[in-house]
């Protein structure tokens, strides 16, 4: 929040509350498939559509308050990150290790969106919760 005044962030939170109030709580499944990304190991969230709806509602809330929405609309893949890579190296050994493994999918009920302050100052993502906004 070094760049955006807290009053503006609070306005985004209020707008997010309005936009998210029309999205009902939903269930997702994580895994059993894994994705080895250049920077992380991901578990895709299925179904993706309700997660996209939550993200789009938050983007609309940001757009209601700020002149620019920092994240692009396209290219988002709903997921949970299991591990991150902090240095360059081959992904093949990780993919090979995962190829023969069997994972039990995890299920989660999504009832709110966590709005966070995100940083990546020490070669890793770090965040703190700013507000929890309920769905529906």
């Amino acid at each position: 929040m070094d760049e955006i005044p807290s009053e503006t962030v609070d306005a985004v939170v209020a707008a997010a509350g309005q936009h998210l109030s029309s999205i009902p709580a939903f269930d997702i499944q994580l895994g059993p498939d894994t994705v080895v990304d250049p920077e992380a190991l991901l578990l895709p969230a299925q179904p993706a559509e309700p997660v996209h709806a939550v993200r789009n509602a938050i983007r609309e809330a940001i757009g209601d308050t700020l002149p620019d929405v920092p994240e692009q609309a396209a290219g988002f893949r709903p997921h949970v990150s299991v591990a991150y890579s902090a240095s360059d190296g081959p992904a093949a050994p990780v993919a090979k290790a995962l190829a023969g493994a069997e994972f039990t999918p995890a299920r989660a009920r999504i009832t709110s969106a966590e709005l966070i302050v995100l940083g990546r100052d020490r070669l890793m993502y770090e965040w703190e919760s700013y507000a929890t906004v309920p769905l529906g």
Side-chain angles (χ1 to χ4, degrees):
M1 291 208 341
D2 297 335
E3 300 136 17
I4 301 174
S6 60
E7 298 82 18
T8 304
V9 177
D10 290 339
V12 170
V13 172
Q18 292 175 351
H19 287 284
L20 291 170
S21 67
S22 64
I23 299 173
F26 58 92
D27 295 315
I28 60 168
Q29 176 177 300
L30 303 168
D33 299 329
T34 57
V35 174
V36 179
D37 182 85
E39 292 185 351
L41 176 60
L42 313 175
L43 295 175
Q46 295 295 328
E49 293 78 16
V51 182
H52 278 288
V54 168
R55 183 174 188 265
N56 291 340
I58 294 169
R59 287 180 49 74
E60 289 173 9
I62 294 168
D64 289 350
T65 311
L66 298 170
D68 296 309
V69 179
E71 286 285 322
Q72 294 183 6
F76 174 68
R77 296 182 297 174
H79 67 277
V80 168
S81 300
V82 177
Y84 290 103
S85 173
S87 63
D88 292 333
V94 175
K96 183 179 177 183
L98 294 171
E102 291 187 27
F103 300 102
T104 301
R107 300 186 195 290
R109 179 102 178 130
I110 308 302
T111 60
S112 62
E114 195 82 16
L115 304 183
I116 62 172
V117 178
L118 177 67
R120 192 173 182 183
D121 299 329
R122 296 183 292 187
L123 297 177
M124 62 183 168
Y125 290 109
E126 298 176 298
W127 59 87
E128 65 179 80
S129 176
Y130 188 85
T132 301
V133 182
L135 301 180

